[in-house]
Amino acid sequence: MISESYNKWSQIYDTNLNKTRDMDRIATMQMLDNYPFERVIELGCGTGKNTLWLMEKASQIVGIDFSEGMLAKAKAKIQSEQVEFHQADISQAWPVADNWADLITCSLTLEHIEDLNPIFQQAAQKLQQGGHFFVCELHPFKQYIGSKARFEDDKGLEVLEVYVHHLGDYWQAAKRAGFELVQLKEWFDPEEGKPPRLISLLFRLVY
């Protein structure tokens, strides 16, 4: 199961070489730095790598992840009344009240979700009118050439099963749920001639 893989990965997630993890953190900060937010739902919060930065701006954060191992690392790292963590499958009901958040973030998580529509529908329910939904994922161009979430530990290389989502899939799911696209940015490695590593999309709830 994917959750078991992430439980194993959690032991080295913060310390092993991971260009995708590091670029996602930069993308999150750069895309959201100019937007005010107070109450945040962080989907796929993992070990809290982005939570620490979100805490600098938000008064309340709810972090959700399906991996017990990842959450254990996050809880050990972050002990604050600003943040509460929940172990949950985001394809099911989220443990947050409707209309609670003004920002939802989702980083390197939707590749493990087959159907995007329930995620965007729940995001629309949990956000206040005009709230933002930030998505940062492995670029579909990278997926087309076979890139997948993976890690290597002392037992060897483990490659996780993922779903490919095209750019149109994100836009259609967002549109059905009442979002408009505010900003889209592709994130490239320094080496020339390679496809973009990440795609980040910022949506706003309009109805």
Side-chain angles (χ1 to χ4, degrees):
M1 292 178 61
I2 293 178
S3 60
E4 294 174 359
S5 295
Y6 271 95
N7 286 340
K8 289 190 289 184
W9 197 357
S10 68
Q11 301 306 307
I12 58 171
Y13 189 82
D14 286 337
T15 56
N16 70 334
L17 179 64
N18 188 330
K19 293 181 180 179
T20 300
R21 172 203 63 206
D22 296 342
M23 187 177 286
D24 168 71
R25 186 171 185 274
I26 292 169
T28 300
M29 292 189 295
Q30 290 190 10
M31 289 280 286
L32 297 177
D33 191 44
N34 292 327
Y35 290 89
F37 48 83
E38 287 291 329
R39 293 191 287 186
V40 180
I41 301 170
E42 188 183 4
L43 305 178
C45 63
T47 64
K49 66 177 177 63
N50 291 337
T51 314
L52 289 167
W53 178 77
L54 292 168
M55 288 173 65
E56 297 177 8
K57 299 186 65 173
S59 59
Q60 293 177 274
I61 300 171
V62 174
I64 303 173
D65 203 283
F66 66 168
S67 167
E68 182 180 359
M70 288 283 187
L71 284 174
K73 293 290 184 180
K75 291 175 181 178
K77 185 187 304 178
I78 300 168
Q79 299 178 24
S80 169
E81 294 183 356
Q82 282 178 264
V83 185
E84 61 180 76
F85 293 107
H86 295 273
Q87 183 178 1
D89 180 349
I90 65 167
S91 64
Q92 307 299 319
W94 304 350
V96 186
D98 290 351
N99 308 118
W100 179 82
D102 51 17
L103 173 67
I104 297 173
T105 70
C106 187
S107 293
L108 309 179
T109 298
L110 296 182
E111 63 182 334
H112 303 303
I113 303 294
E114 184 173 11
D115 186 0
L116 297 178
N117 289 294
I119 304 300
F120 278 85
Q121 293 291 339
Q122 281 210 75
Q125 292 174 3
K126 304 306 178 184
L127 278 173
Q128 300 167 5
Q129 189 78 15
H132 290 90
F133 185 19
F134 173 71
V135 174
C136 189
E137 294 289 331
L138 192 67
H139 201 294
F141 290 0
K142 289 284 284 187
Q143 292 184 305
Y144 298 159
I145 61 175
S147 290
K148 296 181 178 182
R150 66 187 66 200
F151 67 94
E152 188 169 4
D153 59 14
D154 55 3
K155 296 182 180 179
L157 180 66
E158 184 157 348
V159 181
L160 284 65
E161 286 301 315
V162 299
Y163 300 98
V164 175
H165 298 304
H166 312 294
L167 292 180
D169 296 337
Y170 293 109
W171 183 78
Q172 290 290 346
K175 184 179 179 181
R176 292 188 191 102
F179 289 94
E180 65 176 4
L181 181 63
V182 175
Q183 188 176 357
L184 180 153
K185 185 170 181 178
E186 296 169 305
W187 300 85
F188 291 80
D189 292 313
E191 300 86 354
E192 295 184 1
K194 290 189 175 182
R197 178 175 292 271
L198 297 180
I199 184 76
S200 58
L201 308 104
L202 183 63
F203 300 97
R204 185 171 70 90
L205 184 64
V206 291
Y207 62 86

